[in-house]
Amino acid sequence: MNSRSFVAIGDLNKQELLDLLERTRYFEEHPNSRLLDSRVVATLFFEPSTRTRLSFETAVNRLGGRVIGFSDASTSSTSKGETLKDTIKMVSNYADIIVMRHFLEGAAQYATEVTEVPIVNAGDGANQHPSQTLLDLYSILKTQGRLDGLTITMVGDLKYGRTVHSLIMAMRHFKPVFNFVSCPELRMPEEYIKLCRREGIEFHEYTEFSQEVIDASDIIYMTRVQRERFSDIMEYERVKNLYTLHNSMLATSKPTVRILHPLPRVNEINIDVDENPKAYYFEQARNGVFARQAILTRALGINPLSK
């Protein structure tokens, strides 16, 4: 296992997170360089992706590296029955680093155990999405000017939403107040409730997305109800449209509040929010390139701040 693999945000301490955020800031100011010249990055996406895959590939291209891999597992040898172990070991022969998204929880961690090439987790099932978390942290820091002491409201699919799970793990260092807004079927998993209690983090659970909760928030983190996580389509149909943010709901919110969303959205943010200056989800996606440049260089032992 390569010690610089980036698999779970909980593997990083507070200083390591802050160092990555400083790298991210650097890359926003200096997005183009040859830091990855002659390096090959393999992107293995066993699950569909648009923003994550394209932002990783853009990050590599802007740093002068080369990309190999696949965006559809049906075009790879896994469709012939090749095991994940064999795929990882085979690709390790061709690449300096592997970025992978997989539908099974723990797949990225498993990959680190069968190769010495650094692994970057681009999402494993409903478990973790650490690169999304870094860009989320950077977006919060940019818009709020701080990470400490913020009230963060998470809305929608808190059960399967790996982005909110990872964000809780990262924000535990910064004394947040969390509002969890969901229906009982999509409640935040007990392990994250226990984490908040263990870390002394204040949190509140709601089934109603009330004006009081909106007005108290510094960050409103909307999530999509993920159809692909449901085995029962009737259950999905019952809960998919329970929470929708409309522009009128932001009228009395804090002037500094920002709306985040990992995207893609479906119905959970009405398009009338898009022109509100409190909407930040498209800029948030742009920050993903810089955050992933930071992750890739760290995993490969390259420090742009020392150059």
Side-chain angles (χ1 to χ4, degrees):
M1 173 180 176
N2 188 297
S3 61
R4 292 192 299 269
S5 288
F6 188 76
V7 171
I9 206 73
D11 294 339
L12 305 181
N13 61 37
K14 182 177 181 179
Q15 188 55 53
E16 288 171 324
L17 280 174
L18 292 175
D19 289 347
L20 272 170
L21 289 170
E22 181 61 20
R23 284 180 185 242
T24 303
R25 180 202 59 76
Y26 172 86
F27 282 120
E28 182 171 16
E29 297 172 357
H30 308 89
N32 301 305
S33 72
R34 306 298 299 179
L35 289 173
L36 295 190
D37 191 28
S38 79
R39 303 296 184 100
V40 176
V41 180
T43 56
L44 310 184
F45 280 75
F46 297 87
E47 195 176 49
S49 171
T50 301
R51 277 148 297 279
T52 301
R53 180 176 61 83
L54 291 180
S55 63
F56 264 116
E57 293 183 0
T58 300
V60 174
N61 287 325
R62 287 195 178 278
L63 292 174
R66 298 291 182 269
V67 178
I68 63 172
F70 55 80
S71 59
D72 182 353
S74 67
T75 66
S76 75
S77 289
T78 59
S79 64
K80 303 175 184 177
E82 183 173 66
T83 65
L84 177 60
K85 176 182 177 180
D86 286 2
T87 299
I88 296 300
K89 292 185 76 69
M90 181 272 297
V91 174
S92 297
N93 294 322
Y94 310 141
D96 299 292
I97 184 171
I98 295 173
V99 178
M100 62 175 288
R101 168 171 287 190
H102 203 279
F103 50 85
L104 291 178
E105 296 182 19
Q109 179 61 43
Y110 174 75
T112 68
E113 297 168 3
V114 299
T115 182
E116 290 298 317
V117 171
I119 300 293
V120 175
N121 183 5
D124 59 333
N127 183 34
Q128 291 266 328
H129 197 349
S131 68
Q132 177 71 42
T133 303
L134 186 64
L135 74 92
D136 290 346
L137 287 178
Y138 187 65
S139 298
I140 293 169
L141 181 60
K142 276 192 70 176
T143 61
Q144 304 302 308
R146 71 186 201 279
L147 291 172
D148 291 291
L150 297 171
T151 297
I152 299 177
T153 297
M154 299 175 170
V155 185
D157 184 354
L158 308 188
K159 179 179 180 180
Y160 300 112
R162 58 192 172 196
T163 61
V164 293
H165 301 163
S166 292
L167 187 56
I168 290 172
M169 294 292 293
M171 286 300 301
R172 75 188 193 277
H173 299 294
F174 303 103
K175 307 294 185 187
V177 174
F178 286 126
N179 294 321
F180 301 143
V181 180
S182 72
C183 60
E185 295 93 331
L186 297 176
R187 178 178 180 261
M188 183 65 70
E190 191 62 29
E191 64 182 289
Y192 297 101
I193 296 296
K194 289 179 178 177
L195 183 146
C196 289
R197 289 181 176 135
R198 186 168 64 247
E199 298 286 340
I201 296 171
E202 182 180 347
F203 70 92
H204 309 277
E205 293 188 272
Y206 303 95
T207 57
E208 181 185 357
F209 190 24
S210 69
Q211 195 65 52
E212 180 181 5
V213 168
I214 292 170
D215 292 351
S217 302
D218 297 301
I219 294 291
I220 299 175
Y221 197 103
M222 302 297 297
T223 67
R224 173 178 64 94
V225 176
Q226 302 172 76
R227 180 174 181 173
E228 62 270 28
R229 305 295 178 207
F230 285 78
S231 58
D232 183 347
I233 192 63
M234 294 304 294
E235 182 183 1
Y236 167 76
E237 291 293 334
R238 186 167 61 252
V239 301
K240 67 177 183 178
N241 293 323
L242 287 179
Y243 303 104
T244 301
L245 181 65
H246 294 270
N247 190 51
S248 60
M249 298 164 68
L250 297 169
T252 57
S253 62
K254 294 180 181 180
T256 55
V257 71
R258 291 297 180 268
I259 315 304
L260 302 185
H261 192 305
L263 301 175
R265 66 172 164 183
V266 183
N267 300 317
E268 60 278 0
I269 300 178
N270 191 279
I271 60 171
D272 67 2
V273 177
D274 292 356
E275 302 307 315
N276 192 315
K278 297 174 182 179
Y280 194 74
Y281 28 91
F282 295 122
E283 294 88 345
Q284 176 189 2
R286 178 176 179 268
N287 291 336
V289 173
F290 316 128
R292 286 161 178 138
Q293 288 178 311
I295 291 165
L296 290 167
T297 54
R298 176 185 181 273
L300 289 167
I302 299 167
N303 185 0
L305 303 179
S306 66
K307 299 215 178 268

